[in-house]
Amino acid sequence: MLVNNLAKFFLLTISLISYASARDNLYMGLSMGGTSSHFNLDRDLAIGHKDSSNIGKESFNCGFFVGYNYLIKESSIFIGFEIGAQNHNLEATQQENTFPPFVNYMTKVRTNNSLNGVFKIGIVVKDLMIYGKGGLIRTNWIMSFMDQSNGRTESSSTQKFTKDGSILG
């Protein structure tokens, strides 16, 4: 039949508002912002034809995080870690006429959430923290591909999978 492959994807999440409450070295909070995505999808069709689609979309997101910071004694250096989850509710759809006028393809990519974990290291100067962080993110995806020839769905394929990425900041 057909094979879908999420060849490349770019997911950028920006927190516009973040609130944290701290007790000792432990903190937790909420974040809100936006997510921008770009997908490059490759397909192998049954007739030996290769095809690709480029899809992009933006969405609102919200999430929560929990972390711990430890100030190294007799220094201004701290280390920490943070885990969190984001809800993206992101869905991108694209229709294409690959072999006009015979075949109309519809590709849909959707994600609802992602989980992340980061390690932080930095310095503290009075009430100011300056740090860098790095970590991993895992995002759940559902991808659908439908052949809608002659105004009806001839064949369809749906795949669920996860993609891992990196966080640097």
Side-chain angles (χ1 to χ4, degrees), residues 123-136:
I123 60 170
V124 176
V125 180
K126 295 189 181 186
D127 291 334
L128 179 65
M129 294 173 66
I130 301 170
Y131 62 91
K133 65 181 179 179
L136 299 173

Side-chain angles (χ1 to χ4, degrees), residues 71-86:
L71 184 62
I72 298 173
K73 293 183 182 182
E74 298 182 21
S75 77
S76 60
I77 298 172
F78 80 93
I79 57 173
F81 67 90
E82 184 177 296
I83 58 173
Q86 293 281 337

Side-chain angles (χ1 to χ4, degrees), residues 30 34 45 58 76 78 86 95 105 113 117 136 140 163-164:
L30 302 171
L45 305 174
E58 290 78 34
S76 60
F78 80 93
Q86 293 281 337
Q95 280 192 273
Y105 292 119
N113 57 54
L136 299 173
N140 300 315
K163 280 291 199 179
D164 297 325

Side-chain angles (χ1 to χ4, degrees), residues 60-73:
F60 171 78
N61 73 53
C62 60
F64 71 92
F65 53 90
V66 175
Y68 182 82
N69 291 327
Y70 176 74
L71 184 62
I72 298 173
K73 293 183 182 182

